[in-house]
Amino acid sequence: MDAPISILFYVKRAKVNAQGLVPIFQRITINRQRLDNSTGKFVDPEKWHSEMSKMKGTSEEARSLNGHLDQLKSKILNIEKNLIKKDIPITFETFKNEFQGKKERERMLIPIFQEHNRKIKELGIKRKSWGLSKKVR
């Protein structure tokens, strides 16, 4: 089932640093499950517009910060597009794995058996029957 993705940027006012700035966090919500990440950016709490999830104003600082937040948002939307292109259902787990770059290891049956047999030879175990193994000396 494809679930809508909600993206929100917010500040954590409880984590004020020495300069009086607060960190900006990113929240991605899929099927009522949340993934919170720090953006690595800080802002003056008075300059933050919480309803628009952006910094107020048109100064160079505001344009730069808002541009960075837009890039983060487009990265999330590109991941969503890629999942749709690959015909992978958008769930919290599939999105999180794609977002964090986790890949599923593809393993075929024959290489698994070859790896098992190689390890058995290294251990020096010789099979006499299915139920009985004896260490070769």
Side-chain angles (χ1 to χ4, degrees):
M1 177 177 131
D2 289 349
I5 295 177
S6 171
I7 305 163
L8 172 72
F9 294 103
Y10 66 97
V11 294
K12 283 200 175 180
R13 296 185 188 273
K15 294 190 174 192
V16 179
N17 67 11
Q19 292 83 25
L21 303 176
V22 292
I24 301 172
F25 279 76
Q26 171 185 47
R27 175 175 288 158
I28 304 165
T29 307
I30 304 170
N31 288 335
R32 290 182 259 146
Q33 291 182 307
R34 297 176 178 169
L35 178 63
D36 289 332
N37 294 314
S38 173
T39 62
K41 301 290 182 179
F42 291 83
V43 68
D44 181 7
E46 298 299 316
K47 295 180 180 178
W48 182 254
H49 194 288
S50 58
E51 283 140 21
M52 292 183 58
S53 297
K54 292 192 175 220
M55 187 175 174
K56 296 176 189 175
T58 57
S59 67
E60 181 62 35
E61 178 189 15
R63 285 191 307 238
S64 173
L65 181 69
N66 291 337
H68 179 73
L69 297 178
D70 288 340
Q71 285 178 347
L72 292 175
K73 190 173 186 175
S74 72
K75 178 184 174 187
I76 294 166
L77 297 175
N78 284 337
I79 291 171
E80 181 183 25
K81 269 190 233 176
N82 289 340
L83 289 173
I84 291 170
K85 248 189 242 182
K86 293 176 187 176
D87 203 27
I88 298 173
I90 299 174
T91 63
F92 182 75
E93 287 301 317
T94 58
F95 182 84
K96 183 178 173 184
N97 290 340
E98 189 76 19
F99 182 73
Q100 294 176 342
K102 293 182 183 176
K103 304 277 183 196
E104 234 182 78
R105 264 188 6 180
E106 290 185 25
R107 297 198 59 185
M108 303 302 281
L109 193 56
I110 291 177
I112 292 172
F113 277 111
Q114 288 172 340
E115 178 69 14
H116 169 74
N117 291 340
R118 184 189 63 76
K119 286 180 181 177
I120 293 296
K121 283 181 184 176
E122 283 179 6
L123 291 173
I125 297 173
K126 190 174 188 179
R127 289 214 182 245
K128 291 190 171 202
S129 68
W130 286 104
L132 180 65
S133 293
K134 184 179 180 183
K135 185 157 174 100
V136 177
R137 297 178 196 225

